[in-house]
């Protein structure tokens, strides 16, 4: 179809709806050409002016795997900020850099290859249900509500707010019930209850689809109720498209469609796998299988119309991105390359790193380091390690600051800073005598930069030193590090333990041996500078844990048990080492005067409440106030505590702030055994504080949560 007056093909008419343009373009393709567009590496169709395009790009915590970019903290670190505004600004920076790099690549090369496009397969909103999972570092933690709030902010920042064009297209992955073990992801069948599916595993995906309008959803490798997720009518059609109204396109995880016949035994061969996936609504295949779609047509498994409908969805995304429009019409096409790694984004990476760091212990307020501190000894395998800044799916640049570099930059003149690695990451030293132990007793403080690195945890095949395809068999620090810390303590060292990791580390007896503990995750390019500023008091720690740190491996159910029974703060009865939501500060926050406007609430009506929070210390700081709800007696299993709100609050010394909050009827609902949200009359308890409700948090130095009860009738 063409415009009668201009002979312009309809698909190039920018005044027409994007879906109509996509449909017109696809109608001009031969079957062979259509099939060439059904995998992530879509081929060029020169006669229609379609360049080659690869849909696979990564933006988990910065533009990934494509050279220079700002490197923000790994997603689990950004989750520890509990700051949706910050995450929106970070994602805006990522998508802005992605746009600049995309257009510069087109100008230089004429097309893009893998990791150079505008379809970013991020964020990962799977639930970090078990701390052994190597890919947990990519997630936003163990809580469905926190994951949804942070993930939605990320999507809004990635996709922008232009009424006609997406800045980039974001992707909610991996749908669904996907969270390790990595070595079973191609074979396992997740037989969770309908209640667990809708209570834990799906809420974040729903939030991103229904409220953030995420453009792409990626299916997981595993099966759910016996059917591979990338061919699940329940997941793709019934829930995603019909119930939630998803209008974007659905992509498989890479190689997932080949798993149908190779590992799941769900189909007999590759042709059937292709046909079953497409018929179920999987629009795009990553790397495999869809080249066999013509054979699937011949067998009667699908029709060419099925291919057309999927292509309309993927091409609608490309039209929304302005890929077939004059550059002067696309508002993002003029973004200059000097935004990539710019000072503004560098400062944003620094802010994110500072806010992500969680102070877990601070005996006798050894931190921040005092002016009298003259002799600092820095040890550990992560002190000068670049890898521990990065995490997985990362970009690179020439301004990344290690812990050692940050400390040397920040230490005032007259303060002696000495460094020796001391301990290797996961191997015992071969030296018969360790000179690094001799300097520690004389130092005022020893900064021990320990923990993990991506070689110890990550995706299947990424973690080179992991025995379980990227997952962790132990939650403890590697034995060489434990032994080394003990040797330091025996010699009288006063240790500030800095833990780099993408998942919880169990310290055991080391917790009592060291003076302070700070969890810094994989903090990105400014991690060393942010750490130094926190240690020296130029910045105050304000991060909160987005995942429970268990006291031991024995507290966890079997890794391959996907039931939520005794998992996460919501259902576990165990006493953790550090609770979900926990994090100390250099000041003391007090909560008081929790007031409910009503104690008897009518069904369907909201509850208004307010509480006061005071900075009772002498340090300006930020606190993350958290609101939880308990349904005292429901007709089925419900969380013992459910996060329903949080707010990051900046307070001057002595300042008090009154915080209002509305408990909506939706927050009072629970998921019944059929997977449906219902509202039941009964008694409820509201909990307000600086952590999830836990006596352990009180023992570690936080005020007990305020509580108040109300009845719903």
């Amino acid at each position: 179809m063409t415009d009668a007056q201009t002979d312009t093909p309809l698909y190039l008419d920018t005044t027409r709806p994007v879906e109509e343009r996509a449909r017109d373009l696809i109608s001009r393709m031969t079957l062979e050409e259509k099939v060439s567009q059904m995998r992530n590496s879509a081929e060029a169709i020169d006669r229609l002016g379609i360049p080659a395009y690869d849909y696979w790009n990564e933006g988990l915590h910065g533009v990934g795997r494509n050279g220079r970019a700002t490197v923000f903290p790994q997603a689990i670190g950004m989750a520890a900020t509990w700051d949706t505004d910050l995450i929106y600004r970070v994602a805006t920076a990522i998508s802005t850099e992605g746009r600049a790099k995309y257009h510069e690549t087109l100008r230089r090369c004429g097309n893009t290859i893998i990791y150079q496009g505008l379809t970013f397969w991020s964020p990962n909103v799977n639930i970090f249900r078990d701390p052994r999972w190597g890919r947990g570092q990519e997630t936003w933690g163990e809580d469905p509500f926190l994951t949804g709030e942070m993930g939605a902010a990320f999507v809004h920042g990635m996709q922008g707010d232009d009424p006609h064009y997406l800045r980039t297209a974001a992707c909610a992955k991996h749908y669904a019930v996907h969270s390790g073990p990595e070595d079973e992801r191609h074979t396992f069948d997740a037989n969770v209850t309908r209640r667990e599916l809708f209570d834990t595993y799906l809420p974040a995906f729903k939030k991103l689809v229904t409220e953030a309008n995420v453009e792409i959803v990626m299916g997981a490798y595993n099966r759910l109720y016996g059917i591979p997720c990338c061919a699940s009518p329940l997941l793709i059609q019934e829930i995603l498209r019909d119930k939630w109204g998803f209008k974007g396109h659905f992509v498989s995880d890479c190689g997932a469609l080949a798993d149908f016949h190779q590992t799941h035994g769900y189909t007999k061969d590759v042709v059937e796998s292709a046909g079953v996936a497409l018929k179920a609504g999987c629009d795009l295949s990553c790397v495999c299988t869809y080249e066999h779609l013509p054979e699937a047509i011949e067998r009667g498994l699908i029709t060419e119309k099925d291919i057309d409908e999927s292509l309309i969805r993927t091409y609608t995304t490309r039209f929304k991105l302005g890929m077939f429009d004059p550059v002067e019409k696309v508002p993002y096409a003029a973004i200059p390359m000097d935004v990539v790694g710019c000072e503004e984004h560098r400062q944003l990476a620094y802010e994110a790193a500072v806010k992500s760091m969680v102070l877990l212990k601070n005996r006798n307020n050894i931190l921040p380091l005092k002016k009298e501190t003259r002799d600092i000894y820095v040890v550990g395998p992560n002190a000068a390690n670049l890898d521990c800044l990065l995490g997985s799916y990362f970009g690179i640049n020439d301004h990344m600051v290690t812990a050692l570099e940050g400390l040397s930059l920040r230490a005032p003149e007259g303060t002696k800073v000495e460094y020796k690695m001391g301990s290797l990451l996961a191997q015992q030293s071969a030296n018969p005598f360790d000179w690094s132990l001799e300097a520690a007793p004389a130092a005022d403080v020893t900064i021990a930069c320990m923990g993990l690195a991506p070689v110890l945890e990550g995706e299947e095949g990424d973690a080179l030193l992991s025995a379980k395809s990227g997952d962790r068999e132990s939650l403890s620090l590697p034995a060489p590090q434990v032994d080394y810390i003990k040797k330091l303590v025996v010699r009288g060292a006063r240790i500030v333990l800095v833990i780099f990791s993408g998942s919880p580390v169990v310290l055991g007896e080391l917790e009592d041996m060291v003076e302070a503990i700070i969890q810094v995750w994989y903090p990105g390019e400014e991690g060393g500078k942010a750490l130094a500023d926190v240690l020296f008091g130029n910045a105050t720690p304000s991060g909160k844990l987005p995942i429970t740190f268990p006291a031991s491996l024995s507290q966890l159910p079997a890794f391959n048990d996907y039931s939520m029974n005794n998992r996460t703060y919501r259902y576990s009865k165990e006493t953790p080492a550090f609770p979900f939501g926990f994090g100390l500060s250099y000041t003391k926050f007090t909560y008081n005067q929790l007031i409910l406007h009503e104690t008897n609430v009518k069904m369907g009506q909201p509850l208004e409440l307010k509480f006061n929070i005071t900075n009772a210390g002498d340090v300006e700081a930020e606190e993350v106030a958290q609101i939880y709800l308990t349904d005292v007696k429901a007709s089925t299993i419900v969380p013992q505590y459910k996060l329903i709100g949080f707010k990051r609050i900046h307070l001057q010394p002595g300042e008090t702030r009154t915080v209002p909050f509305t408990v909506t009827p939706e927050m009072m609902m629970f998921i019944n055994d059929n997977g449906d949200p219902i509202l039941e009359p009964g008694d409820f308890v509201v909990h307000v504080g600086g952590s999830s409700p836990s006596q352990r948090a009180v023992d570690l130095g936080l005020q007990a949560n305020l509580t108040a009860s109300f009845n719903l009738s």
Side-chain angles (χ1 to χ4, degrees):
M1 186 181 297
T2 59
D3 186 290
Q5 294 180 329
T6 65
D7 290 331
T8 301
L10 188 152
Y11 71 87
L12 294 179
D13 185 348
T14 60
T15 67
R16 306 301 286 266
V18 289
E19 184 176 327
E20 186 179 337
R21 295 172 66 190
R23 191 176 295 275
D24 176 68
L25 177 56
I26 290 153
S27 72
R28 300 167 186 269
M29 298 179 187
T30 66
L31 176 60
E32 182 181 2
E33 288 170 336
K34 291 173 183 177
V35 172
S36 75
Q37 305 299 295
M38 295 297 291
R39 296 197 300 177
N40 64 287
S41 53
E43 299 175 10
I45 306 177
D46 294 331
R47 69 179 187 87
L48 295 175
I50 300 174
Y53 179 73
D54 200 306
Y55 286 83
W56 188 351
N57 204 351
E58 300 288 351
L60 189 65
H61 56 117
V63 177
R65 298 180 173 180
N66 187 27
R68 183 161 57 96
T70 303
V71 184
F72 295 94
Q74 176 59 291
I76 192 66
M78 289 198 287
T81 70
W82 293 58
D83 190 335
T84 54
D85 173 70
L86 171 65
I87 299 311
Y88 172 80
R89 290 184 284 126
V90 166
T92 299
I94 295 171
S95 58
T96 299
E97 293 191 6
R99 265 289 178 176
K101 291 170 72 68
Y102 169 78
H103 289 290
E104 179 66 12
T105 300
L106 287 182
R107 286 189 288 268
R108 290 192 64 251
C109 306
N111 62 15
T112 57
I113 59 175
I114 190 171
Y115 306 135
Q116 294 179 347
L118 295 176
T119 40
F120 283 87
W121 291 350
S122 303
N124 181 341
V125 291
N126 291 131
I127 296 301
F128 199 172
R129 65 173 182 94
D130 191 297
R132 287 166 286 197
W133 187 32
R135 292 193 80 176
Q137 61 175 285
E138 301 177 25
T139 75
W140 300 86
E142 72 183 29
D143 182 75
F145 179 80
L146 179 64
T147 297
E149 294 294 308
M150 304 294 269
F154 189 90
V155 169
H156 283 304
M158 291 294 290
Q159 299 192 163
D161 56 6
D162 186 89
H164 302 294
Y165 294 99
L166 296 172
R167 185 186 289 114
T168 62
C171 174
K173 66 182 186 184
H174 311 82
Y175 183 69
V177 197
H178 181 75
S179 51
E182 282 294 290
D183 62 350
E184 296 180 6
R185 69 183 188 175
H186 300 285
T187 59
F188 83 86
D189 183 13
N191 282 305
V192 298
T193 65
R194 293 274 298 197
R195 174 183 54 78
E196 290 169 329
L197 179 66
F198 286 92
D199 174 61
T200 295
Y201 291 108
L202 294 188
F205 287 98
K206 180 181 179 181
K207 174 92 174 180
L208 268 59
V209 169
T210 62
E211 297 185 31
N213 296 313
V214 70
E215 183 65 18
I216 310 168
V217 171
M218 176 183 284
Y221 287 111
N222 53 279
R223 282 171 287 152
L224 176 66
Y225 307 140
I227 301 175
C229 291
C230 292
S232 169
L234 171 67
L235 287 176
I236 301 173
Q237 192 61 48
E238 180 181 331
I239 297 174
L240 187 61
R241 297 198 183 280
D242 295 343
K243 184 178 290 189
W244 296 348
F246 177 62
K247 303 299 183 185
H249 74 260
F250 188 98
V251 61
S252 76
D253 207 340
C254 295
L257 303 191
D259 288 346
F260 289 12
H261 55 278
Q262 291 179 351
T263 56
H264 289 306
Y266 184 72
T267 54
K268 63 183 179 182
D269 61 19
V270 66
V271 177
E272 186 179 354
S273 294
V276 165
L278 186 71
K279 200 70 176 177
C282 181
D283 301 312
L284 189 70
S285 171
C286 182
V287 309
C288 71
T289 304
Y290 271 4
E291 67 272 21
H292 295 276
L293 288 174
E295 297 164 81
I297 293 176
E298 292 174 3
R299 288 192 192 176
L301 299 173
I302 59 169
T303 65
E304 187 171 350
K305 184 180 178 182
D306 294 322
I307 294 177
D308 291 349
E309 291 306 307
S310 282
L311 279 177
I312 288 168
R313 287 191 283 262
T314 54
Y315 264 80
T316 294
T317 299
R318 292 181 68 174
F319 276 104
K320 288 180 182 179
L321 290 163
M323 290 183 175
F324 302 100
D325 293 1
V327 292
E328 60 270 16
K329 284 188 171 292
V330 182
Y332 305 117
I335 296 173
M337 272 298 291
D338 60 11
V339 303
V340 179
C342 66
E343 181 60 27
E344 179 184 351
H345 292 176
R346 187 170 176 79
Q347 288 302 313
L348 188 58
Y350 167 80
E351 179 186 351
V354 167
K355 289 184 175 180
S356 73
M357 294 181 179
V358 184
L359 183 62
L360 298 176
K361 178 181 179 179
N362 195 17
R363 180 186 290 157
N364 298 323
N365 295 319
I366 189 174
L367 297 178
L369 299 174
K370 309 302 184 286
K371 291 182 180 180
E372 296 77 22
T373 303
R374 295 287 304 276
D375 189 344
I376 298 174
Y377 192 41
V378 183
V379 299
N382 283 334
N385 183 6
L386 194 64
D387 285 346
C388 70
L389 301 180
L390 297 173
S392 63
Y393 290 94
F394 54 86
I396 54 176
N397 64 53
D398 60 344
H399 290 290
M400 290 183 278
V401 184
T402 65
L404 183 62
E405 290 169 327
L407 288 164
S408 65
L409 177 69
R410 184 56 64 200
E413 198 56 50
T415 301
K416 172 174 165 277
V417 179
E418 186 179 357
Y419 162 71
K420 282 187 171 60
M421 180 184 291
S423 167
L424 298 175
L425 187 67
Q427 300 86 19
Q428 294 289 351
S429 171
N431 293 335
F433 186 80
D434 189 350
W435 288 100
S436 73
L437 296 169
E438 302 307 304
D444 294 325
V445 64
T446 296
I447 310 297
C449 298
M450 301 292 184
L452 309 177
V455 295
L456 295 176
E457 58 176 344
E459 191 174 359
E460 178 190 35
D462 276 355
L464 302 178
L465 301 181
S466 172
K468 294 291 286 183
S469 300
D471 296 324
R472 300 170 59 196
E473 292 186 310
S474 169
L475 296 181
S476 302
L477 275 179
Q481 298 182 44
V482 174
D483 294 343
Y484 184 72
I485 292 171
K486 289 180 178 179
K487 290 175 182 177
L488 289 173
V489 171
V490 166
R491 284 163 173 77
R494 300 174 71 227
I495 297 175
V496 172
L497 180 59
V498 179
I499 303 175
F500 293 80
S501 71
S503 56
V505 173
V506 172
L507 297 175
E509 60 183 347
L510 292 184
E511 183 186 333
D512 291 329
M513 294 182 178
V514 300
E515 303 301 310
I517 306 166
I518 184 164
Q519 174 72 37
V520 300
W521 316 102
Y522 298 133
E525 66 178 60
E526 287 285 274
K529 181 181 176 183
L531 172 62
D533 278 349
V534 167
L535 293 177
F536 281 102
N538 301 91
T540 299
S542 60
K544 300 285 187 175
L545 294 180
I547 181 171
T548 302
F549 278 33
S552 69
L553 193 62
S554 64
Q555 292 184 338
L556 301 178
F559 192 5
N560 59 2
D561 179 0
Y562 277 75
S563 167
M564 293 309 297
N565 182 40
N566 210 35
R567 286 198 183 279
T568 77
Y569 82 95
R570 292 166 27 113
Y571 294 103
S572 177
K573 301 297 194 296
E574 306 286 350
T575 299
F578 300 101
F580 174 84
F582 177 80
L584 299 172
S585 175
Y586 291 158
T587 189
K588 187 79 172 179
F589 294 102
T590 59
Y591 292 78
N592 56 71
Q593 295 186 9
L594 171 58
I595 299 173
L596 308 186
H597 289 202
E598 299 284 345
T599 55
N600 292 290
V601 181
K602 299 298 183 183
M603 291 282 286
Q605 296 298 309
L607 169 67
E608 303 295 334
L609 62 83
K610 61 182 179 180
F611 59 91
N612 289 346
I613 178 172
T614 300
N615 181 348
D618 56 6
V619 176
E620 178 183 356
E622 293 188 354
E623 165 73 334
V624 178
Q626 303 161 42
I627 303 98
Y628 297 82
L629 190 65
T630 296
D631 188 335
V632 176
K633 188 176 182 181
S635 58
T636 190
I637 299 170
V638 294
Q640 54 190 349
Y641 308 109
K642 180 174 71 172
L643 179 69
I644 59 172
F646 57 90
K647 187 174 179 62
R648 178 175 275 270
I649 302 167
H650 189 107
L651 294 169
Q652 298 291 333
E655 181 182 2
T656 296
R657 185 85 55 86
T658 299
V659 181
F661 186 78
T662 301
V663 182
T664 66
E666 290 74 22
M667 294 172 182
M668 302 176 203
M669 289 180 171
F670 65 88
I671 302 298
N672 67 14
D673 293 339
N674 294 323
D676 299 317
I678 65 169
L679 188 62
E680 279 186 352
D683 295 326
F684 292 80
V685 178
V686 177
H687 313 259
V688 172
S691 172
S692 59
S694 169
Q695 180 58 44
R696 177 63 176 160
V698 178
D699 296 341
L700 291 168
L702 294 184
Q703 176 190 336
N705 289 60
L706 303 178
T707 62
S709 301
F710 68 93
N711 177 265
L712 183 66
S713 61

